[in-house]
Amino acid sequence: MAETTAQGPCVTCGAPVAAHAWSPSGSFSDWDTLRGRGPSAGAIPMPICDLCDAALSGAPFTRRAPAGHSGWFIPWRAGADAVAIRSGPDGLTALIQPPEPPFRCILGGWMQRRHWWLRAPLALDRTVYPALVVGGSPPGHQVVWIDARRAEALRQVLDATADEPWRLLRGPLPRDAQRRAEVSALRAGFPDRPGTLSGVLVSVAVARPPRPATPEEGESDDEGANEA
């Protein structure tokens, strides 16, 4: 990190910056992500706070979440680690109980190391908060506001039945007339439309959760949640 007399707030999170600025290495390739945030996307050093500097230097959440996970919570406090959000109904529970603000939330997936977190707004509330949803090929992005109460409602519906989330929310409709009506009503209440809150909740709920750990692996899945 180059020492300069850079002034102004951090260009990624808005926090106050000491008298230093971040000078990117030649390997940094996400200028399209930073462009428009700071005074320059070129040679002039940009003011970056210590937390953002550490993240830019190579954090696990620059890669997609581990297998069996749907995204990342990135607490923006000194000493706080990023936490991968599990897929399946447990992922809904995570969305219901996000970290203490401020934090960033990223959902979806991408292949190469990318700094999508730079586009994710800082969340200042745990009940309704923004999430950056990344997906597609090539990957695109959009911000969707997560309502924890809505996520809890879907989790409660899934808990009330022993059926699989995928079968309830996306699978073929049951042949039994009464059950068919029940599943149809559930899908009407949580339409699986990309880019909407209900679509995001459905995608998390039906994604394949982490496989159970074997006795030899112990708690390796949980430990791996913070790895790239």
Side-chain angles (χ1 to χ4, degrees), residues 4-208:
T4 74
T5 56
Q7 301 296 320
C10 172
V11 295
T12 72
C13 71
V17 179
H20 66 251
W22 173 72
S23 293
S25 68
S27 63
F28 186 76
S29 61
D30 281 346
W31 287 117
D32 61 323
T33 307
L34 275 178
R35 188 168 289 114
R37 283 180 173 269
S40 169
I44 301 175
M46 293 176 290
I48 302 285
C49 72
D50 292 339
L51 281 172
C52 293
D53 176 70
L56 281 163
S57 299
F61 50 80
T62 60
R63 295 193 182 276
R64 68 179 303 155
H69 294 77
S70 294
W72 295 99
F73 276 130
I74 311 169
W76 222 242
R77 304 185 305 277
D81 294 325
V83 178
I85 300 170
R86 286 176 174 253
S87 298
D90 285 344
L92 296 176
T93 300
L95 296 179
I96 296 166
Q97 302 170 343
E100 289 293 332
F103 63 88
R104 284 182 164 102
C105 179
I106 308 177
L107 297 170
W110 56 97
M111 297 305 295
Q112 291 80 24
R113 181 180 290 276
R114 290 294 303 272
H115 292 83
W116 287 109
W117 63 274
L118 288 169
R119 297 183 184 270
L122 275 175
L124 303 177
D125 185 272
R126 300 183 72 199
T127 303
V128 180
Y129 56 89
L132 185 76
V133 180
V134 180
S137 180
H141 69 281
Q142 65 185 120
V143 174
V144 175
W145 285 82
I146 304 297
D147 186 334
R149 294 162 296 192
R150 187 87 169 131
E152 185 174 17
L154 180 56
R155 176 68 204 240
Q156 290 176 352
V157 171
L158 297 178
D159 285 347
T161 176
D163 213 339
E164 297 178 9
W166 182 86
R167 193 178 301 276
L168 286 171
L169 296 168
R170 284 185 178 169
L173 289 171
R175 293 184 178 181
D176 177 78
Q178 180 177 348
R179 186 61 176 155
R180 186 184 188 92
E182 293 172 352
V183 172
S184 295
L186 172 59
R187 294 184 187 182
F190 289 91
D192 185 14
R193 292 197 297 266
T196 64
L197 171 58
S198 62
V200 169
L201 297 181
V202 169
S203 66
V204 171
V206 302
R208 182 175 297 178

